[in-house]
Amino acid sequence: MPNSVIDVKNLAKAYHDGQTETLALQKATFSVKKGEFVAIMGPSGSGKSTLLHVLGLLDEPTGGEYIFAGKNISEYGGDELAKLRNQKIGFIFQMFNLLPRTSVLENVKLPLLYSNVPESEWDKKAREAIDSVGLSHRLYHEPSELSGGERQRVAIARALVNDPEIIFADEPTGNLDSKSGKNVMSIIQNLNVKQGKTIVLITHETATAEHAERILHMIDGEIDNDRKVERRRSAEEEFVK
Protein backbone atom coordinates (compact mmCIF):
# COMPACT_ATOMS: atom_id res chain seq x y z
CA MET A 1 0.00 0.00 0.00
CA PRO A 2 1.44 3.42 -0.96
CA ASN A 3 2.63 5.61 1.93
CA SER A 4 2.40 2.69 4.36
CA VAL A 5 4.90 2.58 7.21
CA ILE A 6 3.61 -0.84 8.26
CA ASP A 7 2.13 -3.48 5.98
CA VAL A 8 1.50 -6.96 7.39
CA LYS A 9 -0.12 -9.99 5.82
CA ASN A 10 -1.17 -13.12 7.73
CA LEU A 11 1.27 -12.23 10.51
CA ALA A 12 1.59 -14.94 13.16
CA LYS A 13 3.51 -15.56 16.36
CA ALA A 14 3.63 -18.96 18.05
CA TYR A 15 5.28 -19.90 21.34
CA HIS A 16 6.40 -23.45 22.11
CA ASP A 17 6.58 -25.11 25.50
CA GLY A 18 7.72 -28.66 24.96
CA GLN A 19 5.10 -30.27 22.73
CA THR A 20 2.59 -27.47 23.25
CA GLU A 21 2.20 -24.66 20.73
CA THR A 22 0.38 -21.45 21.66
CA LEU A 23 -0.66 -19.11 18.88
CA ALA A 24 -0.44 -15.64 20.43
CA LEU A 25 -1.01 -13.98 17.07
CA GLN A 26 -2.52 -15.29 13.87
CA LYS A 27 -3.74 -14.11 10.47
CA ALA A 28 -3.09 -10.42 11.17
CA THR A 29 -3.45 -8.45 7.94
CA PHE A 30 -3.53 -4.64 7.88
CA SER A 31 -1.55 -1.53 6.99
CA VAL A 32 -0.69 1.64 8.88
CA LYS A 33 -0.19 4.73 6.75
CA LYS A 34 2.42 7.39 7.40
CA GLY A 35 0.96 9.93 9.85
CA GLU A 36 -1.86 7.66 11.03
CA PHE A 37 -2.83 7.16 14.69
CA VAL A 38 -3.96 3.58 15.34
CA ALA A 39 -5.04 2.10 18.68
CA ILE A 40 -5.01 -1.65 19.35
CA MET A 41 -7.56 -2.85 21.91
CA GLY A 42 -8.47 -6.20 23.40
CA PRO A 43 -8.79 -8.09 26.68
CA SER A 44 -5.80 -9.47 28.56
CA GLY A 45 -4.30 -12.35 26.58
CA SER A 46 -5.82 -11.23 23.29
CA GLY A 47 -2.41 -10.85 21.60
CA LYS A 48 -2.17 -7.07 21.47
CA SER A 49 1.17 -6.87 23.31
CA THR A 50 2.59 -9.65 21.15
CA LEU A 51 1.51 -7.74 18.06
CA LEU A 52 3.11 -4.52 19.31
CA HIS A 53 6.38 -6.30 20.10
CA VAL A 54 6.50 -7.81 16.61
CA LEU A 55 5.63 -4.48 14.96
CA GLY A 56 8.25 -2.70 17.07
CA LEU A 57 10.92 -5.23 16.01
CA LEU A 58 11.34 -6.41 19.60
CA ASP A 59 10.25 -9.91 18.62
CA GLU A 60 10.21 -11.91 15.39
CA PRO A 61 7.06 -13.31 13.77
CA THR A 62 6.87 -17.04 13.14
CA GLY A 63 4.65 -16.69 10.09
CA GLY A 64 3.34 -14.21 7.56
CA GLU A 65 4.95 -11.14 6.06
CA TYR A 66 5.94 -7.83 7.62
CA ILE A 67 6.95 -4.88 5.45
CA PHE A 68 8.40 -2.00 7.48
CA ALA A 69 9.18 1.29 5.71
CA GLY A 70 8.98 -0.46 2.34
CA LYS A 71 11.22 -3.44 3.10
CA ASN A 72 10.49 -6.94 4.35
CA ILE A 73 11.97 -7.34 7.83
CA SER A 74 13.23 -10.81 6.85
CA GLU A 75 15.76 -9.03 4.62
CA TYR A 76 17.36 -7.18 7.56
CA GLY A 77 20.24 -8.55 9.60
CA GLY A 78 20.40 -8.23 13.38
CA ASP A 79 22.52 -5.06 13.33
CA GLU A 80 20.21 -3.47 10.75
CA LEU A 81 17.16 -4.24 12.90
CA ALA A 82 18.86 -2.70 15.93
CA LYS A 83 19.60 0.43 13.91
CA LEU A 84 15.99 0.60 12.73
CA ARG A 85 14.70 0.34 16.31
CA ASN A 86 17.01 3.14 17.41
CA GLN A 87 16.61 5.54 14.49
CA LYS A 88 13.12 4.95 13.09
CA ILE A 89 11.13 3.86 16.16
CA GLY A 90 10.31 5.45 19.52
CA PHE A 91 8.90 3.41 22.42
CA ILE A 92 6.71 4.50 25.33
CA PHE A 93 6.07 1.85 28.00
CA GLN A 94 3.54 1.56 30.81
CA MET A 95 6.30 1.19 33.42
CA PHE A 96 8.28 4.18 32.00
CA ASN A 97 11.58 2.16 31.95
CA LEU A 98 13.67 5.11 33.18
CA LEU A 99 17.05 4.65 34.85
CA PRO A 100 16.33 5.32 38.55
CA ARG A 101 19.40 7.25 39.73
CA THR A 102 19.87 9.22 36.53
CA SER A 103 18.64 12.73 35.76
CA VAL A 104 15.84 13.53 33.34
CA LEU A 105 18.39 14.99 30.93
CA GLU A 106 20.59 11.90 30.98
CA ASN A 107 17.61 9.54 30.62
CA VAL A 108 16.44 11.36 27.52
CA LYS A 109 19.94 11.36 26.02
CA LEU A 110 20.23 7.55 26.23
CA PRO A 111 18.99 6.71 22.69
CA LEU A 112 21.53 9.14 21.28
CA LEU A 113 24.38 6.91 22.52
CA TYR A 114 23.61 4.50 19.66
CA SER A 115 22.71 7.07 17.02
CA ASN A 116 24.64 8.88 14.30
CA VAL A 117 24.09 12.20 16.05
CA PRO A 118 27.41 13.84 17.01
CA GLU A 119 27.96 13.87 20.77
CA SER A 120 28.27 17.65 20.68
CA GLU A 121 24.57 17.85 19.77
CA TRP A 122 23.20 15.40 22.35
CA ASP A 123 22.57 17.96 25.07
CA LYS A 124 20.74 20.33 22.72
CA LYS A 125 18.52 17.61 21.22
CA ALA A 126 17.65 16.19 24.64
CA ARG A 127 16.76 19.63 26.01
CA GLU A 128 14.52 20.30 23.01
CA ALA A 129 12.68 17.00 23.51
CA ILE A 130 12.24 17.69 27.23
CA ASP A 131 10.97 21.20 26.51
CA SER A 132 8.42 19.78 24.06
CA VAL A 133 6.73 17.87 26.92
CA GLY A 134 6.86 20.81 29.32
CA LEU A 135 9.56 19.55 31.68
CA SER A 136 12.44 21.97 31.23
CA HIS A 137 12.18 22.81 34.94
CA ARG A 138 12.92 19.16 35.81
CA LEU A 139 16.14 18.65 33.83
CA TYR A 140 18.26 17.53 36.76
CA HIS A 141 15.62 15.71 38.79
CA GLU A 142 15.75 11.93 39.12
CA PRO A 143 12.66 9.78 38.38
CA SER A 144 11.99 9.24 42.11
CA GLU A 145 11.47 13.00 42.42
CA LEU A 146 8.81 13.10 39.71
CA SER A 147 5.11 12.26 39.63
CA GLY A 148 3.88 9.36 37.49
CA GLY A 149 2.64 11.76 34.83
CA GLU A 150 5.99 13.54 34.75
CA ARG A 151 7.85 10.22 34.42
CA GLN A 152 5.74 9.29 31.44
CA ARG A 153 6.40 12.68 29.86
CA VAL A 154 10.14 12.01 30.29
CA ALA A 155 9.59 8.67 28.55
CA ILE A 156 7.83 10.48 25.69
CA ALA A 157 10.74 12.94 25.39
CA ARG A 158 13.16 9.99 25.26
CA ALA A 159 11.04 8.39 22.50
CA LEU A 160 11.19 11.65 20.51
CA VAL A 161 14.88 12.49 20.85
CA ASN A 162 15.94 10.63 17.68
CA ASP A 163 13.01 12.07 15.70
CA PRO A 164 11.54 8.64 14.89
CA GLU A 165 9.12 7.96 12.04
CA ILE A 166 6.80 5.94 14.26
CA ILE A 167 6.03 5.76 17.97
CA PHE A 168 4.80 2.60 19.69
CA ALA A 169 3.02 3.20 23.01
CA ASP A 170 2.23 0.22 25.27
CA GLU A 171 -0.52 1.16 27.79
CA PRO A 172 1.00 4.66 28.28
CA THR A 173 -1.70 5.71 30.76
CA GLY A 174 -1.93 2.38 32.61
CA ASN A 175 -0.07 3.57 35.72
CA LEU A 176 -1.43 7.12 35.80
CA ASP A 177 -4.33 8.87 37.51
CA SER A 178 -7.11 10.26 35.34
CA LYS A 179 -5.75 13.82 35.05
CA SER A 180 -2.17 12.71 34.29
CA GLY A 181 -3.49 10.20 31.76
CA LYS A 182 -5.41 12.90 29.93
CA ASN A 183 -2.34 15.13 29.85
CA VAL A 184 -0.17 12.34 28.44
CA MET A 185 -2.75 11.45 25.80
CA SER A 186 -3.05 15.10 24.79
CA ILE A 187 0.73 15.18 24.20
CA ILE A 188 0.63 11.94 22.20
CA GLN A 189 -2.33 13.14 20.13
CA ASN A 190 -0.60 16.42 19.36
CA LEU A 191 2.53 14.53 18.26
CA ASN A 192 0.32 12.92 15.65
CA VAL A 193 -1.73 15.91 14.56
CA LYS A 194 0.82 18.72 14.84
CA GLN A 195 4.06 16.87 14.08
CA GLY A 196 2.71 14.17 11.79
CA LYS A 197 4.13 11.29 13.83
CA THR A 198 2.73 7.84 13.12
CA ILE A 199 1.39 6.40 16.39
CA VAL A 200 0.50 2.79 17.23
CA LEU A 201 -0.91 2.53 20.75
CA ILE A 202 -2.03 -0.40 22.89
CA THR A 203 -4.69 0.15 25.51
CA HIS A 204 -7.58 -1.59 27.23
CA GLU A 205 -9.26 1.77 27.95
CA THR A 206 -11.88 2.97 25.46
CA ALA A 207 -11.37 6.61 26.44
CA THR A 208 -7.66 6.32 25.63
CA ALA A 209 -8.22 4.47 22.35
CA GLU A 210 -10.61 7.14 21.12
CA HIS A 211 -7.76 9.65 20.90
CA ALA A 212 -6.81 7.66 17.80
CA GLU A 213 -8.50 7.86 14.42
CA ARG A 214 -8.69 4.09 13.96
CA ILE A 215 -9.10 1.16 16.35
CA LEU A 216 -8.08 -2.46 15.78
CA HIS A 217 -9.81 -4.83 18.20
CA MET A 218 -8.19 -8.18 19.02
CA ILE A 219 -9.52 -11.40 20.50
CA ASP A 220 -7.76 -14.77 20.80
CA GLY A 221 -4.77 -13.61 18.76
CA GLU A 222 -6.85 -12.35 15.83
CA ILE A 223 -8.04 -8.94 14.68
CA ASP A 224 -11.81 -9.19 14.71
CA ASN A 225 -12.59 -5.52 14.01
CA ASP A 226 -10.84 -2.62 12.25
CA ARG A 227 -12.76 0.63 12.29
CA LYS A 228 -12.36 4.37 11.90
CA VAL A 229 -13.44 6.47 14.88
CA GLU A 230 -14.02 10.13 15.62
CA ARG A 231 -11.35 11.52 17.91
CA ARG A 232 -12.46 11.83 21.51
CA ARG A 233 -10.84 15.21 22.12
CA SER A 234 -9.86 18.23 20.06
CA ALA A 235 -6.34 17.97 18.72
CA GLU A 236 -5.82 21.59 19.72
CA GLU A 237 -6.49 20.90 23.39
CA GLU A 238 -3.23 21.42 25.26
CA PHE A 239 -2.15 19.60 28.40
CA VAL A 240 -2.02 21.56 31.64
CA LYS A 241 1.58 22.07 32.68
Side-chain angles (χ1 to χ4, degrees), residues 15 22-26 41-51 171 202 204 218-222:
Y15 294 98
T22 301
L23 268 176
L25 178 66
Q26 55 185 320
M41 292 193 73
S44 178
S46 62
K48 58 187 188 295
S49 290
T50 298
L51 176 57
E171 298 279 8
I202 277 184
H204 64 276
M218 296 191 69
I219 189 76
D220 297 332
E222 297 188 51

Side-chain angles (χ1 to χ4, degrees), residues 34-167:
K34 182 177 175 61
E36 196 171 16
F37 187 165
V38 177
I40 302 171
M41 292 193 73
S44 178
S46 62
K48 58 187 188 295
S49 290
T50 298
L51 176 57
L52 190 78
H53 287 170
V54 171
L55 296 180
L57 308 178
L58 298 172
D59 204 352
E60 296 181 2
T62 52
E65 185 177 73
Y66 179 14
I67 308 296
F68 180 84
K71 186 175 178 180
N72 196 310
I73 64 164
S74 65
E75 298 175 17
Y76 291 102
D79 289 344
E80 290 177 301
L81 287 173
K83 185 178 290 188
L84 271 182
R85 283 193 298 269
N86 181 254
Q87 298 181 0
K88 302 290 187 180
I89 295 172
F91 294 99
I92 304 169
F93 299 100
Q94 179 179 353
M95 300 302 293
F96 320 129
N97 290 8
L98 302 176
L99 294 181
R101 288 179 291 280
T102 307
S103 71
V104 166
L105 181 61
E106 294 303 316
N107 263 290
V108 173
K109 284 163 70 171
L110 278 175
L112 297 171
L113 294 171
Y114 310 99
S115 73
N116 295 323
V117 177
E119 188 173 353
S120 59
E121 297 179 21
W122 291 359
D123 198 77
K124 178 176 180 290
K125 287 182 69 69
R127 286 172 181 269
E128 288 173 348
I130 293 165
D131 183 60
S132 75
V133 298
L135 285 178
S136 291
H137 59 301
R138 294 281 194 258
L139 280 177
Y140 302 107
H141 287 67
E142 294 181 0
S144 63
E145 300 173 299
L146 306 178
S147 69
E150 287 174 330
R151 292 180 201 178
Q152 194 59 289
R153 283 153 64 182
V154 174
I156 293 171
R158 182 184 56 194
L160 290 174
V161 75
N162 269 335
D163 193 25
E165 291 185 12
I166 184 168
I167 293 173

